[in-house]
Amino acid sequence: MRISEGVEWAAHCCLLLDWMGVDEPVSTARLAAGYGLPPAYLNKQLQPLVRAGILTSTPGKRGGFRLARSLEDITLMDVLTAIEGPEEAFRCDEIRQNGVWADLPESAFRAPCAIDAAMRAAELEWRRALAARTLASVQTDAELQAPYLRRQVQDWYAEHYPAHTP
Amino acid sequence: MRISEGVEWAAHCCLLLDWMGVDEPVSTARLAAGYGLPPAYLNKQLQPLVRAGILTSTPGKRGGFRLARSLEDITLMDVLTAIEGPEEAFRCDEIRQNGVWADLPESAFRAPCAIDAAMRAAELEWRRALAARTLASVQTDAELQAPYLRRQVQDWYAEHYPAHTP
DNA sequence: GACCCACTACTCGGATAAGTGATGTCCGAGTAGGGTTGG
DNA sequence: CCAACCCTACTCGGACATCACTTATCCGAGTAGTGGGTC
């Protein structure tokens, strides 16, 4: 049971996009440079975010990614669901319907498996907490520790990887 | 991100062991028959429970597994940790230390990554809920839906897979 | 000089490999009980 | 008849294959800018 690293990458990239503060699309190459990630693979990880409506993509030269909405309107749950899919981590295979229970009438299985129900309830707490946390609030936490971050990001890109200037 | 099916198997087997209500060890073969599972693989899944102190195992003929303690004292968290290991689902790779942040002094990374902290906090809610749920309470839920379960288990085994009688 | 057009450089998007962990199988170490043999 | 011993049947435990999914890479479709040619 492990959450894909794509979740971490995606969340970081959303914050980075906001810190960069540009209105034009940012290419995968520039984003990847900001975290030292392999560009092609980062691109692959960001595509689900586009499908989920968290980012918008622009193809072609001068193309790239933009935040589709404010960080206020993106939760950690949104990011997780986009990358990992909507399915729950615990999936009940209904093994209770075999062996001992095989001969019971179908009505015996109307009620959900008690183990499944308990696991789902716990997982729901997790998702609730994720849904309550916006990327904006996470960004605020980061800036409380390091208020210079936005400036640092913009300066670094201006020096190391400036956008193509006309 | 998917929880191993071993967690479902392990939890069910603990309940089954209690329902069977025998004092002698129950072999993997009998347990597997109760849920229609492959015996050898179930054995493999139960071994971590022994290491975690949830079950005790007896080798040799007449060997098998027993509950090491009451269902009251086993939580879903215990089962999950035994099978999946103690590591968190979300593991931060500290990609923030690369690229833009590479030149910052080390002191900038004393504070934990804000994304990591938020993800961990949410995951903690999940684990808290799992730790609050004992197998006994899950069993109670199951019996509320089907009060005949304990009897059904014992009858089924007496008819289909009786323990070796001297 | 201005407009149109082909060409190049660069981007996303999905198709295609490589690697890692989960899933599944098999055999060896060890134990209990029963049968056999000797007293 | 009784006791000691060996032998068999059965069990867990871990070593050994198989498979799926995550991780990683590559090429094609498409777009914006550029340069040249033509009116």
Side-chain angles (χ1 to χ4, degrees), chain A residues 27-28 47 51 57 60-61 64-65:
Chain A
S27 75
T28 312
Q47 283 172 26
R51 279 192 282 270
S57 66
K61 192 176 166 88
F65 295 93

